Amino acid sequence: MPLSEHEQRMLEQMERALYAEDPKFATALEGNGLRTYTRRRAYQAVAGFLVGIALLMAGMVAQQIWVSVVGFLVMLGCAVLAVTGWRKAPKPGEQPAAGAPHTRRQTRPKRSLMDRIEQRWQRRRDEQGGR
């Protein structure tokens, strides 16, 4: 539903007031904030992963096991950051909204692997018992 003319004027007035009051904060709010944040986080994770590889190699060359262990831990932590950031990133054209209606897939309860296996087992048992 589009905004009325009055609401559009009010929104523009609030934007101008925000720019006048704190221009740095207003420019930070422009654009795709969440997607930009996740992209930056992914780049940082890749850079950290490369630093971890360098530490791992340096520890091996210097025969310092603790440096290699630290490098491995840095690599592991950066890989986790990259994967979690990637999973939380919104898809192109998708706007993350707090009050968005849930889709059918989200409202359907997720069944665990054990529940599905148990249901299959019961179904097979019922089919074989009925013969």
Side-chain angles (χ1 to χ4, degrees):
M1 182 170 121
L3 297 175
S4 69
E5 289 180 28
H6 175 69
E7 292 170 333
Q8 287 177 351
R9 281 193 306 262
M10 292 294 292
L11 182 61
E12 289 172 3
Q13 185 180 10
M14 290 179 355
E15 287 177 358
R16 281 187 295 238
L18 179 63
Y19 274 105
E21 188 175 314
D22 193 357
K24 187 176 179 182
F25 180 68
T27 56
L29 290 178
E30 284 182 342
N32 295 333
L34 183 60
R35 198 184 307 136
T36 303
Y37 170 74
T38 54
R39 186 180 302 137
R40 185 176 340 130
R41 185 174 170 184
Y43 289 147
Q44 290 171 348
V46 168
F49 192 83
L50 294 175
V51 168
I53 289 175
L55 283 172
L56 184 72
M57 297 290 224
M60 292 172 72
V61 169
Q63 295 182 349
Q64 297 290 327
I65 294 175
W66 66 272
V67 175
S68 296
V69 170
V70 168
F72 175 75
L73 292 176
V74 168
M75 288 170 51
L76 183 66
C78 289
V80 168
L81 281 176
V83 169
T84 58
W86 185 266
R87 295 178 96 188
K88 292 179 183 177
K91 303 204 176 9
E94 180 181 76
Q95 283 288 38
H102 295 294
T103 61
R104 194 179 110 207
R105 186 175 186 185
Q106 290 174 334
T107 58
R108 187 178 72 190
K110 290 188 175 183
R111 298 185 311 192
S112 70
L113 177 65
M114 290 304 294
D115 289 339
R116 289 182 297 193
I117 291 173
E118 191 173 315
Q119 283 182 347
R120 288 180 188 165
W121 178 261
Q122 288 291 338
R123 214 177 309 135
R124 286 181 187 153
R125 218 161 92 191
D126 291 343
E127 288 173 1
Q128 289 178 355
R131 292 184 183 179

